[in-house]
Amino acid sequence: MKRTLLFIATNLGIMLVLGITASLLGVNRFLTSNGLDLTKLLMFAGLMGFGGAFISLLLSKPIAKWSTKARVITQPSNSTEQWLLNTVAAQAQRAGIGMPEVAIYEGEPNAFATGATKNSSLVAVSTGLLQSMTEQEVEAVLAHEVAHIANGDMVTLTLIQGVVNTFVIFIARIVGYFVDGMLRKNDEENTAPGIGYMVTVIVCEIVFGILASIIVAWFSRQREFRADCGAANIMGQSQPMVAALRRLGGMAEGELPKNMSAFGISGKGGAMALFSSHPPIEERIAALQAR
């Protein structure tokens, strides 16, 4: 419940800030008496699309900590925590990035990485993963997350999300304008957009948003293959990552918050494969063995 409320509150806050910014810049006045001002509409769509994506990226680390109740290791309290810090430090050095924060959270087997930049990131692992995997398998999972950071995957996915958001907002309003015009073609007295415009924009944003999520999910799946290979490079061999994936394939997957699922180590396939942020584990293993 807290995660859902945080997600809603964060999005409302982002939309409020962007709405005020759009008003101050004047780019929200794209509906004119002469029709659509496509330049202003594109500027508005870009501000809302990229602005929302980048604000979410900047907030990703604190939100991840809060939503998973992850505890950042500052002073190791046991040998496991010390090993985690040492392992991530060595991997970060090999990957050429700054030392990420390392955290542990309660939950079923999973792990994730997040953060706005390569040198200001977070790697978190669940207690379930630490308890269910061998040390070498955990090391491979950590290397996978470090590879995500080194590859700049958080920023890349944010840019992709920003592009598709912009097109969804832009095209939805063009379609809404023309549909509204057709519905009111005999009403010459009122030139302002009517209910047809608003309803069409909402419907188009939902439909186009679903289609856009397929594109984003495809890019996310390609990142997973790259991160698997990156883990193998960091460790100097593929077998530990293969073993970790095989183990994950036989485990109950730990669910992550929606805004973190694309950065976890495991994901869902099946009938919803087009919307999955992760490829099937069998495909990931085959790709590693073929490299």
Side-chain angles (χ1 to χ4, degrees):
M1 185 63 179
K2 286 182 180 179
R3 292 178 187 177
T4 303
L5 291 175
L6 178 66
F7 179 77
I8 293 172
T10 301
N11 279 275
L12 287 175
I14 291 172
M15 295 306 294
L16 178 61
V17 170
L18 293 177
I20 293 172
T21 304
S23 295
L24 292 174
L25 295 175
V27 296
N28 61 338
R29 294 188 284 273
F30 50 83
L31 287 168
T32 70
S33 58
N34 296 321
L36 279 176
D37 185 328
L38 293 180
T39 301
K40 282 189 176 180
L41 175 56
L42 184 59
M43 291 171 65
F44 172 80
L47 175 65
M48 301 299 285
F50 279 96
F54 273 99
I55 291 174
S56 296
L57 176 66
L58 293 173
L59 295 175
S60 63
K61 193 161 67 166
I63 289 176
K65 292 177 186 177
W66 192 92
S67 60
T68 62
K69 295 182 174 62
R71 177 177 57 84
V72 176
I73 304 170
T74 52
Q75 292 294 328
S77 60
N78 53 52
S79 59
T80 298
E81 293 183 2
Q82 185 63 63
W83 176 82
L84 282 172
L85 284 178
N86 293 343
T87 301
V88 173
Q91 292 178 348
Q93 186 175 20
R94 285 197 288 271
I97 61 172
M99 175 65 181
E101 290 184 286
V102 181
I104 299 175
Y105 66 96
E106 295 289 333
E108 296 300 316
N110 217 321
F112 66 86
T114 191
T117 69
K118 293 182 181 182
N119 296 320
S120 179
S121 55
L122 169 74
V123 172
V125 294
S126 69
T127 52
L129 187 134
L130 292 172
Q131 293 163 2
S132 305
M133 284 190 167
T134 67
E135 189 173 281
Q136 189 180 54
E137 289 165 352
V138 174
E139 186 178 353
V141 170
L142 292 171
H144 173 96
E145 302 305 335
V146 168
H148 270 311
I149 299 168
N151 291 339
D153 286 339
M154 280 69 79
V155 174
T156 300
L157 203 60
T158 298
L159 288 170
I160 294 167
Q161 188 69 62
V163 170
V164 297
N165 286 350
T166 298
F167 276 99
V168 166
I169 294 169
F170 184 75
I171 297 172
R173 279 153 182 79
I174 290 177
V175 174
Y177 180 81
F178 280 107
V179 169
D180 187 67
M182 291 179 66
L183 292 175
R184 297 187 304 109
K185 59 184 177 181
N186 295 322
D187 183 6
E188 297 179 356
E189 295 182 1
N190 188 4
T191 58
I195 188 68
Y197 172 81
M198 292 182 286
V199 171
T200 304
V201 167
I202 292 171
V203 172
C204 285
E205 284 193 344
I206 293 171
V207 174
F208 296 160
I210 292 171
L211 295 175
S213 68
I214 296 176
I215 298 172
V216 175
W218 183 85
F219 277 102
S220 179
R221 291 195 294 273
Q222 306 316 303
R223 293 179 321 105
E224 290 305 312
F225 287 121
R226 289 182 62 214
D228 287 341
C229 289
N233 291 334
I234 288 172
M235 296 193 68
Q237 54 179 326
S238 301
Q239 189 52 40
M241 192 67 232
V242 171
L245 288 171
R246 281 178 176 155
R247 175 122 15 210
L248 281 169
M251 289 177 172
E253 179 189 330
E255 186 177 356
L256 291 172
K258 282 187 177 181
N259 59 325
M260 297 307 307
S261 60
F263 302 108
I265 183 66
S266 64
K268 296 179 181 179
M272 298 297 289
L274 282 176
F275 298 92
S276 176
S277 60
H278 290 62
I281 284 180
E282 295 80 6
E283 290 185 17
R284 294 170 66 182
I285 291 173
L288 276 170
Q289 292 176 329
R291 65 189 294 274

